[in-house]
Amino acid sequence: MCDLPMPNRHSIESSESEDVSDTTTRASTAESSSQLGPKAMFNEMESGMINIIIEEATYKLIVINRDGDKTSAPIVRKPPMHVRFDPAYKNQLLSENMVVDLAMGKMILVKLQNDVSNLRKLLSDTHTEMAEFGTFETLQTFMDNDIQSEQEELILIRDSILNEKKLKILQSQLEGVNRECKNVLKQLDDEIFDLETKLKDARIENDIKTKLVQQWERTRHEQARIIIQGKENDLVQTSTQTKANIERELRLKSEIDVYINYCIDQISEKIAFWTDKYQREIKALDAQIAEHKDKIVNLKVQFEEMTILFKHREKDLKICAEFMKEREQQLALANKQMRSAIKIQSWWRGTMVRKGLGQFKRKKKQKPQKAPKKGKKGK
């Protein structure tokens, strides 16, 4: 659904309030002008001068208006405002076979003739009234009515202009709303079309899925039936085999009982044999333990004797150890001196060889004899 934007109600109400205030002020001015108090009275001289002016103006209007004297005809009043601004009234004045310019000229001419006739009638009535009573109440009433109608016409023109502006604004808003509504409707149509296509696809897909599910259910039930039947056959075979196994186990149990009794007899005999053997071996081991105890006592006595002997010879061992230690130190020192002497001797021999000292002294090389100089030729 598209929401129509509401016009600026505050601005419209403010303009309407201004129009109403202007209308009331103008109406009040018109009423105040129509109610001016007592009628104006003129003396004979003023009335005569005014009558002369009115007669001259009437004569000029007679010259201008070529339709003859229409002073006896009543004053033709303008149509009301709502009639004059009605398009039907304008179309009535314009003939269908008449050109627009000619029609406008005719309208202006008719209006001019009516205005001149009305003015002549008004001046004639005013002249008569001035001649008889010395007042111009008819002229004043006509002027008040004319001013009031002119004010009403101005108000209506202004209202019509404002209404046209408001109409344009509302039309533009309506066009914008229509465009938005059309866009929304188009979008909704597209969405509806998409939803319809999706619904059709979903319906077809659901039908296919339903068929597949039904086939799957049938195959599943058949498969379950086959599996259950196979399990049932297996259970029957298992039960028969279990019965046979139970009978065999019972037979084996009886045989095992017989064998166990036989084994118990054999084991009891072996236990008696091993018990006797254990007692004999225990006695032999006790004798061996007694012998070993005697040996331990003898060894303890020998250990004590050896301890006493070690204490007597401990000083000799210390003296021998010190002697051996000193001897090792002397041997190490002699060995070190020998190595040092060898190193010094080898160093000195190398030095003598390098320097050519002693028996390693180098022999001087004999210089070769120089050849005798030959005399110069050609002197």
Side-chain angles (χ1 to χ4, degrees):
M1 296 298 291
C2 59
D3 298 330
L4 295 175
M6 297 298 292
N8 194 351
R9 187 173 180 182
H10 180 69
S11 60
I12 295 171
E13 290 178 354
S14 62
S15 61
E16 289 178 355
S17 62
E18 290 176 358
D19 298 340
V20 171
S21 63
D22 293 339
T23 306
T24 52
T25 52
R26 291 181 181 180
S28 62
T29 53
E31 290 177 358
S32 62
S33 62
S34 61
Q35 297 175 0
L36 293 175
K39 299 177 181 179
M41 299 296 292
F42 299 98
N43 53 20
E44 293 180 358
M45 186 176 180
E46 290 174 350
S47 298
M49 292 175 68
I50 291 170
N51 285 328
I52 292 168
I53 294 169
I54 291 171
E55 286 178 358
E56 186 177 357
T58 304
Y59 177 74
K60 289 180 179 180
L61 289 174
I62 290 169
V63 173
I64 293 170
N65 191 5
R66 298 177 182 179
D67 293 338
D69 189 6
K70 294 184 180 180
T71 55
S72 60
I75 297 173
V76 179
R77 296 182 60 83
K78 294 180 182 179
M81 298 296 292
H82 65 277
V83 175
R84 280 187 291 162
F85 284 91
D86 190 4
Y89 178 74
K90 294 180 181 179
N91 294 328
Q92 185 178 0
L93 295 176
L94 295 173
S95 177
E96 295 180 357
N97 298 323
M98 192 180 298
V99 185
V100 177
D101 295 335
L102 295 175
M104 292 298 294
K106 184 178 179 182
M107 288 175 64
I108 293 169
L109 183 60
V110 170
K111 184 177 182 301
L112 180 60
Q113 289 177 358
N114 291 329
D115 291 339
V116 171
S117 299
N118 292 331
L119 187 57
R120 285 176 57 193
K121 175 64 176 172
L122 178 63
L123 291 175
S124 299
D125 294 339
T126 304
H127 180 267
T128 304
E129 187 178 359
M130 288 292 293
E132 292 180 358
F133 304 104
T135 60
F136 54 94
E137 184 178 358
T138 304
L139 179 61
Q140 186 176 1
T141 304
F142 180 80
M143 292 299 292
D144 292 337
N145 293 329
D146 191 31
I147 291 169
Q148 186 176 1
S149 64
E150 186 177 358
Q151 290 176 354
E152 292 176 355
E153 185 175 356
L154 290 173
I155 292 169
L156 186 59
I157 290 169
R158 187 188 61 188
D159 292 339
S160 65
I161 293 169
L162 292 175
N163 290 329
E164 287 178 358
K165 290 181 180 179
K166 292 177 184 178
L167 180 62
K168 289 180 181 179
I169 293 169
L170 292 174
Q171 285 178 352
S172 63
Q173 292 178 356
L174 183 61
E175 289 177 357
V177 171
N178 287 331
R179 285 195 298 272
E180 292 178 359
C181 291
K182 287 180 181 178
N183 293 328
V184 172
L185 288 173
K186 185 178 179 181
Q187 187 177 1
L188 291 174
D189 290 335
D190 295 336
E191 291 179 357
I192 290 168
F193 180 74
D194 293 336
L195 290 173
E196 288 178 353
T197 53
K198 288 180 181 179
L199 180 62
K200 290 179 181 178
D201 295 337
R203 188 176 296 169
I204 294 168
E205 186 178 358
N206 289 328
D207 293 336
I208 295 169
K209 286 182 179 179
T210 304
K211 291 179 181 179
L212 292 174
V213 168
Q214 290 176 356
Q215 292 178 0
W216 178 75
E217 286 290 334
R218 286 196 295 271
T219 54
R220 190 171 66 85
H221 286 301
E222 186 67 23
Q223 186 178 5
R225 187 182 63 78
I226 294 168
I227 292 169
I228 291 168
Q229 188 175 2
K231 288 182 178 180
E232 185 178 358
N233 294 328
D234 293 337
L235 290 172
V236 171
Q237 291 177 1
T238 304
S239 63
T240 54
Q241 188 176 0
T242 304
K243 288 179 181 179
N245 291 330
I246 289 169
E247 292 177 355
R248 185 171 61 82
E249 291 293 333
L250 291 172
R251 186 175 66 254
L252 290 173
K253 181 178 180 298
S254 62
E255 293 177 358
I256 288 168
D257 291 336
V258 173
Y259 177 73
I260 287 171
N261 292 326
Y262 173 76
C263 290
I264 289 170
D265 295 336
Q266 294 291 328
I267 290 168
S268 61
E269 291 177 358
K270 288 181 179 180
I271 288 170
F273 171 75
W274 285 107
T275 303
D276 295 335
K277 186 177 180 181
Y278 172 74
Q279 290 177 357
R280 288 194 303 271
E281 288 179 355
I282 287 295
K283 290 179 180 179
L285 289 172
D286 290 336
Q288 290 178 2
I289 288 168
E291 291 177 358
H292 286 298
K293 284 181 179 180
D294 294 335
K295 288 180 180 180
I296 289 168
V297 171
N298 294 326
L299 289 173
K300 284 182 178 180
V301 172
Q302 291 177 2
F303 177 74
E304 290 177 356
E305 292 176 354
M306 292 298 293
T307 303
I308 294 167
L309 182 62
F310 176 76
K311 287 180 180 180
H312 286 295
R313 294 182 180 180
E314 187 175 3
K315 293 180 180 180
D316 297 335
L317 291 172
K318 287 181 179 180
I319 293 168
C320 183
E322 290 177 357
F323 175 75
M324 293 297 291
K325 187 176 181 180
E326 289 178 358
R327 188 176 179 181
E328 287 178 358
Q329 289 177 356
Q330 290 175 0
L331 290 173
L333 180 61
N335 192 10
K336 185 176 181 181
Q337 289 175 356
M338 181 64 71
R339 287 197 303 271
S340 299
I342 291 168
K343 287 181 180 180
I344 292 168
Q345 188 177 4
S346 62
W347 171 78
W348 177 245
R349 183 174 291 178
T351 303
M352 290 176 70
V353 171
R354 287 193 300 275
K355 301 291 185 178
L357 300 175
Q359 59 181 354
F360 300 104
K361 188 175 182 181
R362 296 186 184 91
K363 294 180 180 181
K364 292 183 180 180
K365 293 181 180 180
Q366 293 180 359
K367 295 182 180 179
Q369 294 180 359
K370 295 182 180 179
K373 295 181 180 179
K374 294 180 179 182
K376 295 181 180 179
K377 293 181 180 182
K379 285 186 178 181

